[in-house]
Amino acid sequence: MRGDEALFSTGFPHAMEQRLATLIGNAVRAARQRLELTQADVAERVGIATEVYGRLERGHMLPSVRTLRKLCLVLNCSSDVLLGMAGVEGAPTLAEDPPEYRERPEVRRLLRTVRKLDAPRLRLLGQVANALET
C-alpha cells in the first residue's frame, strides 16, 4: 500500500484541519481503549504502520477516507463519532469482530511476532510450544 493511500498528512495550514485531526485522534484513542486494543492491534487491522497510527492518534495526521472507513470498522464506531458529530451512544452497531480479534493483547502480540518467522523458526517454535504443553 502506498503511503498516500493509507493516510493524508498535512502541515495544517488551517486551524480547522488541526482541530479536526485532534478530534479524530482523541476519538480513535477512546474507541481503541474501550475495546482494550493496542495501537499495534488497530494499525495491523487497518493496514498501516504502528508509527503512522500513533501519529494519527496524537492528532498529527488526518486519515484518508479509505483509512477513516477502516478505522470505523475496526473500532466498531460510526464516522459521525470519529468526526465528533455524534456521541458513542448514538453509534450504530457494526459487524462483530472475527474470533481472532477477541484474543488477549498478549496473544495478539505473540501472533504478530509468529507471523514474521521463517519456516525453520516456526517449526522450532511449534516444538517449544508442544514441550510447554506437557
Side-chain angles (χ1 to χ4, degrees):
M1 176 182 318
R2 292 183 4 217
D4 60 343
E5 288 181 282
L7 292 170
F8 170 69
S9 181
T10 179
F12 299 118
H14 303 312
M16 186 172 151
E17 289 179 354
Q18 177 60 61
R19 284 193 305 272
L20 181 59
T22 301
L23 185 71
I24 292 171
N26 290 337
V28 296
R29 179 182 307 109
R32 174 182 62 78
Q33 290 172 339
R34 177 178 42 84
L35 295 172
E36 299 179 1
L37 298 172
T38 65
Q39 287 187 350
D41 293 332
V42 176
E44 178 183 40
R45 294 172 190 185
V46 171
I48 58 177
T50 302
E51 297 78 18
V52 173
Y53 176 79
R55 287 182 63 206
L56 186 142
E57 200 172 273
R58 289 188 302 277
H60 296 173
M61 299 184 101
L62 284 171
S64 67
V65 173
R66 177 181 291 157
T67 299
L68 181 65
R69 182 178 186 284
K70 289 179 183 177
L71 285 166
C72 291
L73 294 171
V74 166
L75 297 172
N76 196 28
C77 63
S78 75
S79 58
D80 285 354
V81 170
L82 296 188
L83 295 171
M85 298 171 66
V88 174
E89 310 82 41
T93 303
L94 300 176
E96 187 175 320
D97 281 343
E100 64 268 19
Y101 286 2
R102 290 182 235 134
E103 295 287 352
R104 294 189 329 249
E106 303 84 19
V107 174
R108 291 190 305 260
R109 280 192 291 275
L110 182 60
L111 286 172
R112 273 195 299 277
T113 302
V114 168
R115 287 184 188 112
K116 296 175 188 174
L117 295 176
D118 59 13
R121 289 189 172 137
L122 190 56
R123 280 192 297 278
L124 180 60
L125 181 60
Q127 292 171 351
V128 170
N130 285 335
L132 289 173
E133 253 185 351
T134 58

